[in-house]
Amino acid sequence: MKKIFVVSFISVGYFLNAQSLSNSPYAKYGIGDVKYDNTIETASMGGISTAFISDFTSSFNFANPANNANFELTSIRLEATNENNYFKSNFNDMKSTKHSTYLSNISLAFPISSKVKMGLSYQPYSSKSYDILNDEVVTKTEGDITNSITYRNQFKGSGSVSTAAVAVSYKVNQEFSVGARANLYFGDLYDLTELSANNSEYINGYETKNRIRNFNFTLGTSYQKLNTRTDKKLTIGATATFGNTSNMVTEYNNSTYRYIDAAGTKGDEIFIDHKEAKSKNLIPLQASVGVGYGSDNHWFLSGQIDYKKGEDISYFGTSYSLQDTYRISAGGWYLPNYNNFRNYFSRVVYRYGAFYERGNLKLEGNSINKFGISAGVMLPFKNSSITRMSGLEIGVELGKRGTLKNNLINQNFINLKIGFNFADKWFRKSLYN
């Protein structure tokens, strides 16, 4: 157990050093591709979490902080994600691929008392990482002379927003629990649009820098009824995220310049326009409701609906609307026989799920929607019992985003996730010597 714990932290050091968050060209809009709540346990079940109360004592639910009635151990989670994106467009028969690997979740959770549980977590929230190049050749004929000029538009984006959260759960009675989570968002995002022509060495650049510091909180509640005669459970949960207090400082520069070396150093820069502005309501109102049903320590199935309010965003006279978003998820888990220590795979937790999401972007009259399926396993450590379910987490997501209509981009993706959950009665004094 100690050897596995050390190896995992070496792995975390590698992922932090090689952190690179990849995403699609759709990240150009707003604050980029949202990657939050992509823990292995949640993602492997299609994203269900609102009505998911783990049957095991080692799993802390941050998505709905009320769902931790069974949590009793100190838990440390370390998770990483490998994204593989495949893009296609009818525009110039474009095809492209992007791959990245990054640290996707660090969390520490522990019980304060039999009724109060607490957790701390860090996750990437969103990112921009795109570089789009579009060349257009214009031919002009004057008399017997024909000239061709190539106009180049290049769109670049980089940066990320991370979130740190503190969650507290309170068990009111055997059936009803409530919880709250405070969320801090922080990071810097950068967008650059460059216009140039092959008959000029100068470039016109439109640069936008966003410095984000945002705070809000999530309230959650859950109800679970256990039929002691049949060991069947009915779970109902709901969450709402609001109280948004944002401070996004945007700096905008319009200038002409030329690159004087291969490293991209600017020379002879002349500023045409410079502005600064502050924005609010960066993270919109969100809500979720879910219902689940299962058999104690054996199987669970849940359905969930998530809603995110759209926002009108304006960047120095150019405005666009993010439409209301909803996501429908279904998934669950299955554990064959946790008491069968002769057959290891009888004690493996198998997860499954699917989802459909109407995206907040609407381009050329088309909603940029997303859907996919997922699966995963929790491989318990050799001596893990049902009361101390520590192990290796593995998950996979396969899906599609976007469309080929109106020369837009279709994105197919395969996301692989791996992590460790170390859970034990740490930091507690023994009552007997």
Side-chain angles (χ1 to χ4, degrees):
M1 177 74 176
K2 291 181 179 180
K3 292 181 179 179
I4 297 175
F5 189 76
V6 172
V7 170
S8 70
F9 267 96
I10 294 174
S11 302
V12 168
Y14 166 77
F15 286 124
L16 281 172
N17 187 56
Q19 192 89 326
S20 174
L21 280 68
S22 173
N23 46 44
S24 77
Y26 294 120
K28 182 179 188 299
Y29 301 91
I31 60 173
D33 271 353
V34 175
K35 302 176 181 295
Y36 185 60
D37 278 349
N38 59 355
T39 61
I40 298 175
E41 190 171 44
T42 298
S44 297
M45 297 187 293
I48 63 107
S49 58
T50 304
F52 169 61
I53 300 177
S54 177
D55 287 21
F56 316 119
T57 60
S58 58
S59 181
F60 191 91
N61 187 330
F62 282 90
N64 184 352
N67 288 344
N68 295 295
N70 296 330
F71 182 75
E72 296 179 0
L73 305 176
T74 298
S75 169
I76 296 176
R77 284 184 180 269
L78 309 169
E79 299 178 353
T81 296
N82 171 249
E83 289 189 1
N84 303 276
N85 294 305
Y86 306 89
F87 305 105
K88 183 179 180 180
S89 174
N90 290 332
F91 182 77
N92 293 334
D93 292 323
M94 184 275 290
K95 292 183 179 180
S96 179
T97 62
K98 289 189 75 175
H99 309 279
S100 68
T101 300
Y102 59 92
L103 183 69
S104 53
N105 181 39
I106 304 176
S107 68
L108 167 66
F110 48 89
I112 296 177
S113 69
S114 60
K115 290 190 173 185
V116 181
K117 319 295 169 61
M118 185 174 183
L120 310 170
S121 75
Y122 159 85
Q123 280 189 284
Y125 181 80
S126 69
S127 71
K128 287 178 180 281
S129 178
Y130 63 89
D131 190 346
I132 306 170
L133 187 64
N134 179 33
D135 288 338
E136 182 179 355
V137 179
V138 177
T139 302
K140 295 182 179 180
T141 302
E142 296 182 3
D144 297 331
I145 301 175
T146 300
N147 294 317
S148 295
I149 301 176
T150 300
Y151 294 95
R152 169 166 289 185
N153 295 334
Q154 189 161 13
F155 309 92
K156 300 179 181 179
S158 61
S160 63
V161 177
S162 300
T163 180
V166 180
V168 177
S169 174
Y170 178 71
K171 185 177 180 180
V172 179
N173 54 42
Q174 287 299 115
E175 299 175 348
F176 183 66
S177 298
V178 294
R181 189 183 75 230
N183 312 295
L184 173 65
Y185 307 84
F186 55 95
D188 298 282
L189 301 174
Y190 173 82
D191 294 278
L192 175 65
T193 299
E194 292 185 326
L195 310 175
S196 62
N198 65 342
N199 61 350
S200 174
E201 65 175 321
Y202 285 89
I203 298 170
N204 185 201
Y206 299 82
E207 180 184 65
T208 303
K209 298 179 180 178
N210 295 303
R211 182 177 181 271
I212 296 167
R213 301 293 183 269
N214 190 86
F215 175 83
N216 63 18
F217 58 90
T218 301
L219 297 181
T221 182
S222 67
Y223 170 85
Q224 186 174 80
K225 179 67 174 180
L226 172 64
N227 186 328
T228 56
R229 183 173 56 85
T230 62
D231 281 340
K232 296 296 190 297
K233 290 181 178 181
L234 172 65
T235 310
I236 302 173
T239 66
T241 299
F242 52 92
N244 188 60
T245 303
S246 65
N247 181 18
M248 182 174 76
V249 179
T250 302
E251 181 181 350
Y252 167 82
N253 290 309
N254 181 5
S255 64
T256 60
Y257 50 85
R258 63 186 180 91
Y259 289 121
I260 60 178
D261 57 34
T265 304
K266 295 179 180 179
D268 302 328
E269 185 171 15
I270 300 175
F271 286 93
I272 301 171
D273 193 15
H274 172 82
K275 294 179 181 179
E276 290 188 4
K278 292 184 179 181
S279 304
K280 295 184 178 181
N281 299 323
L282 179 65
I283 310 297
L285 169 70
Q286 301 175 47
S288 177
V289 62
V291 177
Y293 186 76
S295 178
D296 200 27
N297 296 328
H298 189 38
W299 60 269
F300 179 76
L301 178 64
S302 177
Q304 178 174 316
I305 299 177
D306 301 319
Y307 167 80
K308 183 184 295 185
K309 188 179 184 299
E311 297 286 345
D312 292 326
I313 298 177
S314 178
Y315 288 102
F316 305 105
T318 301
S319 62
Y320 60 91
S321 297
L322 299 179
Q323 63 183 356
D324 289 1
T325 300
Y326 63 82
R327 175 184 172 116
I328 301 173
S329 307
W333 58 267
Y334 173 70
L335 175 61
N337 186 352
Y338 66 86
N339 282 321
N340 187 354
F341 282 84
R342 294 184 178 181
N343 185 345
Y344 176 80
F345 291 99
S346 292
R347 299 190 300 113
V348 172
V349 180
Y350 300 90
R351 302 187 178 115
Y352 53 89
F355 66 90
Y356 171 82
E357 179 181 321
R358 189 184 84 156
N360 58 0
L361 287 176
K362 190 171 186 179
L363 305 174
E364 302 294 332
N366 299 286
S367 293
I368 307 304
N369 301 328
K370 182 179 180 182
F371 64 87
I373 59 174
S374 61
V377 293
M378 203 289 281
L379 303 172
F381 295 140
K382 184 177 180 180
N383 296 322
S384 261
S385 65
I386 192 68
T387 57
R388 299 187 184 186
M389 190 65 83
S390 298
L392 173 67
E393 304 264 10
I394 300 175
V396 60
E397 286 180 304
L398 295 87
K400 175 184 178 296
R401 182 189 185 194
T403 178
L404 292 175
K405 296 179 181 179
N406 301 105
N407 289 327
L408 294 175
I409 296 173
N410 179 76
Q411 173 187 356
N412 294 318
F413 59 86
I414 302 175
N415 298 331
L416 306 175
K417 301 172 182 291
I418 187 169
F420 296 92
N421 179 20
F422 303 97
D424 210 331
K425 293 183 178 180
W426 298 340
F427 317 126
R428 302 189 194 181
K429 293 182 179 180
S430 175
L431 295 179
Y432 302 98
N433 293 324

